[in-house]
Amino acid sequence: MLAMTLSPELDRNGAAFAFPVGDLISESLLDRRLRTATRRLLQAREHIFFDGDPKDHIYKVEKGAVCLYKTLPDGRRQIVDFAYPGDLIGLSTLENHVFSAQAIALTRLRCLPAGLLEEMAKNDPRVGVQLYRALSDQLLSAHDLLLTVGQRNATERLAALLMALSRRNDRGGADPARIALPMTRADIADFLSLTIETVSRTFTKLRQGGIIDLAHSSLVVIRDRRALGRLAAGEAERI
Amino acid sequence: MLAMTLSPELDRNGAAFAFPVGDLISESLLDRRLRTATRRLLQAREHIFFDGDPKDHIYKVEKGAVCLYKTLPDGRRQIVDFAYPGDLIGLSTLENHVFSAQAIALTRLRCLPAGLLEEMAKNDPRVGVQLYRALSDQLLSAHDLLLTVGQRNATERLAALLMALSRRNDRGGADPARIALPMTRADIADFLSLTIETVSRTFTKLRQGGIIDLAHSSLVVIRDRRALGRLAAGEAERI
DNA sequence: CGAGTCGTTGATTCTTTTCAAAGCCCGTGG
DNA sequence: CCACGGGCTTTGAAAAGAATCAACGACTCG
């Protein structure tokens, strides 16, 4: 998930709930089961499930990107997370989904019957840990977004998002200075709790400030990473 | 935790990750261990731990209330949750805490060495489920707050908070129409991402609209629950 | 090539913040 | 017992940041 944390070094550096390292390298029952699980291919904008739907499966993103969101009755939408390859979607103890999930690009998923989780956790102790870790990552991610949406201004919010995506690239071996945005301006707006117009204006401001370049609307090139980081941390005066 | 959900009926109605019901009634290893765990008594405003501290314990609230928060370098603060009696604090797989925790009233905790969790989960399969459930409740709660902070206006935010507290009272057998607020206006402001002044003005507006009464600044009486609910859901025009 | 979606930019409005000050409550101490 | 002090809360007036309303431009896909 998209942890927009201030402390990149805090990433996945150590587990207090640690099992022997060897176990984490070998494949767990969950991993193995997922490799052969049913695949599902989704076009951009196609839904995986809706808020309130019975939770018969959980999903793992293999390719593409998914947005998880909640809405108010009048249609206002808050994206609570973006799920990228490797992320698990739908973990919870409830019978029904508590948010909607929609592919934002061509996406491939693995589908796992929800009932199997319990069984696998019983047969392989590493599965429980894995699920616990996934959930706690998601909680961290939600708290980070909360800090962003609740306390940062428009520029700082966008900077935080770009820094998070940059770090994700870094971890995944991609160029941390070239950020592909699979999501639309509307998605970014609903994630950062801004309007499309404000997101667009803020991109322009970052570009004019020499902090980023916009190769095109969905490809950002970071020109001044330090400045972007300071903005995200709320340490910059203004731009 | 404080799930500010729109759907009270969605509460703890069923677990997809269900173990036989009997198991949930009997005491798990965790519950038993907690009953004899070290107690810690905190005055209001006293900290349990700070963001980044080594996570040597996890805590269960027995009495009082705790706020969990994150800050930006310049001091802006976002409260990400309030923990009430029964709630577990500090669950995650990381070596260090990822938020700060501060008592907001006279609070009694049970302290459990973090290393014990893993061991207990190994020896009692219900413990893993219990932790998993606690974490997924916290995630739900964070997502709800995200929707509130990101999409609702000041009035709707306060209404959502009051409705959440009212439901909590209801579940706990207390009067759902009389809401004690252990937290200050500043705490409410940092939870809802508003300023103290806006929180205060919004209380006044709700009072003048006949929706609540303020016995005193920390005791709210709900006079029109339906109206409050409609406000929280974003279904009311204005007040 | 045209329709439609998505993104950018401009002008104006509005909600909330900021700045300022007064009121209230409660504990302390004269 | 009452005055005093400090923290918390309320209220008011002005300012600011983002939202809204509006229009144009760019790109994509039949």
Side-chain angles (χ1 to χ4, degrees):
Chain A
M1 305 293 179
L2 243 201
M4 309 213 296
T5 175
L6 291 175
S7 345
E9 69 281 10
L10 200 138
D11 264 6
R12 184 90 276 146
N13 59 356
F17 202 148
F19 271 67
V21 175
D23 285 355
L24 294 173
I25 290 166
S26 76
E27 238 185 3
S28 80
L29 194 54
L30 175 62
D31 295 322
R32 255 187 299 150
R33 186 64 185 70
L34 274 166
R35 274 200 300 123
T36 59
T38 317
R39 273 203 174 128
R40 190 167 154 196
L41 203 66
L42 294 109
Q43 299 300 317
R45 303 290 112 189
E46 209 177 326
H47 271 84
I48 306 170
F49 54 79
F50 288 91
D51 192 354
D53 282 356
K55 202 186 71 182
D56 22 57
H57 294 84
I58 63 130
Y59 306 88
K60 179 170 187 166
V61 182
E62 276 198 346
K63 204 171 73 71
V66 174
C67 79
L68 317 180
Y69 69 91
K70 298 184 84 125
T71 57
L72 292 178
D74 67 358
R76 280 175 277 175
R77 180 177 76 138
Q78 177 66 45
I79 294 180
V80 296
D81 216 342
F82 289 112
Y84 278 89
D87 290 334
L88 292 172
I89 300 175
L91 299 182
S92 90
T93 54
L94 297 171
E95 283 180 329
N96 298 291
H97 288 293
V98 288
F99 49 74
S100 304
Q102 182 187 36
I104 55 179
L106 186 65
T107 295
R108 200 175 61 221
L109 303 171
R110 292 288 189 173
C111 311
L112 210 62
L116 248 58
L117 279 190
E118 179 195 336
E119 196 189 309
M120 292 194 304
K122 259 190 238 168
N123 294 325
D124 182 346
R126 292 168 303 175
V127 172
V129 180
Q130 222 175 338
L131 295 175
Y132 186 80
R133 168 166 303 181
L135 216 39
S136 91
D137 282 353
Q138 291 176 30
L139 184 61
L140 176 57
S141 178
H143 284 170
D144 284 334
L145 181 56
L146 213 30
L147 179 63
T148 294
V149 164
Q151 301 299 330
R152 295 192 236 243
N153 66 27
T155 315
E156 292 165 348
R157 289 185 210 183
L158 190 55
L161 171 60
L162 293 177
M163 285 301 291
L165 291 170
S166 172
R167 278 196 294 267
R168 166 172 281 276
N169 272 4
D170 219 0
R171 283 199 302 274
D175 184 349
R178 289 173 63 84
I179 300 176
L181 299 171
M183 64 292 274
T184 66
R185 293 290 185 266
D187 292 330
I188 296 176
D190 288 347
F191 183 62
L192 299 179
S193 301
L194 297 168
T195 58
I196 314 179
E197 294 94 327
T198 301
V199 170
S200 184
R201 278 186 247 274
T202 307
F203 268 120
T204 303
K205 207 158 64 166
L206 289 177
R207 184 168 47 70
Q208 288 173 346
I211 295 173
I212 62 168
D213 262 345
L214 283 166
H216 55 99
S217 69
S218 64
L219 180 60
V220 175
V221 177
I222 298 179
R223 291 184 56 195
D224 187 344
R225 198 169 204 272
R226 178 168 296 271
L228 195 65
R230 283 166 39 80
L231 271 173
E235 290 165 346
E237 279 313 299
R238 189 85 21 108
I239 67 159
Chain B
M1 304 294 181
L2 242 202
M4 307 212 298
T5 176
L6 290 175
S7 345
E9 69 279 11
L10 200 138
D11 264 5
R12 185 91 276 144
N13 58 357
F17 201 148
F19 271 68
V21 175
D23 285 357
L24 295 172
I25 290 167
S26 75
E27 236 185 3
S28 79
L29 195 52
L30 175 61
D31 296 322
R32 253 186 302 149
R33 186 65 184 69
L34 273 167
R35 273 199 301 122
T36 59
T38 317
R39 273 203 174 129
R40 191 168 152 195
L41 202 67
L42 295 108
Q43 299 301 317
R45 304 289 113 190
E46 209 177 324
H47 271 83
I48 306 169
F49 54 79
F50 287 91
D51 192 355
D53 282 355
K55 202 186 71 181
D56 23 55
H57 293 85
I58 63 130
Y59 305 88
K60 180 170 187 166
V61 182
E62 275 197 346
K63 205 171 75 68
V66 174
C67 79
L68 317 179
Y69 68 90
K70 298 184 83 122
T71 56
L72 292 177
D74 66 359
R76 280 176 276 177
R77 179 177 78 138
Q78 177 66 45
I79 294 181
V80 296
D81 215 342
F82 289 111
Y84 278 90
D87 291 334
L88 293 171
I89 299 175
L91 298 182
S92 91
T93 55
L94 298 170
E95 283 179 330
N96 298 292
H97 287 293
V98 288
F99 48 74
S100 305
Q102 182 187 37
I104 56 178
L106 187 63
T107 295
R108 199 175 61 220
L109 303 172
R110 291 287 188 174
C111 311
L112 210 62
L116 248 58
L117 279 189
E118 180 195 336
E119 197 189 307
M120 292 195 303
K122 258 190 238 169
N123 294 328
D124 183 345
R126 292 168 303 176
V127 173
V129 179
Q130 221 176 337
L131 295 175
Y132 186 81
R133 168 166 302 179
L135 217 38
S136 92
D137 282 353
Q138 290 177 30
L139 185 60
L140 176 57
S141 178
H143 285 170
D144 284 334
L145 181 57
L146 214 29
L147 180 63
T148 294
V149 164
Q151 300 300 329
R152 295 192 236 244
N153 66 27
T155 315
E156 293 165 348
R157 288 184 210 183
L158 190 55
L161 171 60
L162 293 176
M163 285 301 291
L165 291 170
S166 172
R167 277 196 295 270
R168 166 172 283 275
N169 272 4
D170 219 0
R171 282 199 302 274
D175 184 349
R178 288 174 63 85
I179 299 175
L181 299 171
M183 63 291 274
T184 65
R185 294 290 184 267
D187 293 330
I188 296 176
D190 288 347
F191 183 62
L192 298 178
S193 299
L194 298 169
T195 57
I196 315 179
E197 294 93 328
T198 301
V199 170
S200 183
R201 279 186 247 275
T202 307
F203 268 119
T204 303
K205 208 157 63 165
L206 289 178
R207 184 168 47 70
Q208 288 174 346
I211 294 173
I212 62 168
D213 262 346
L214 283 166
H216 54 101
S217 70
S218 62
L219 180 60
V220 175
V221 178
I222 299 180
R223 292 183 55 195
D224 188 344
R225 198 166 205 272
R226 178 168 297 271
L228 195 65
R230 284 166 40 78
L231 271 173
E235 290 164 347
E237 280 312 301
R238 188 84 22 105
I239 65 158

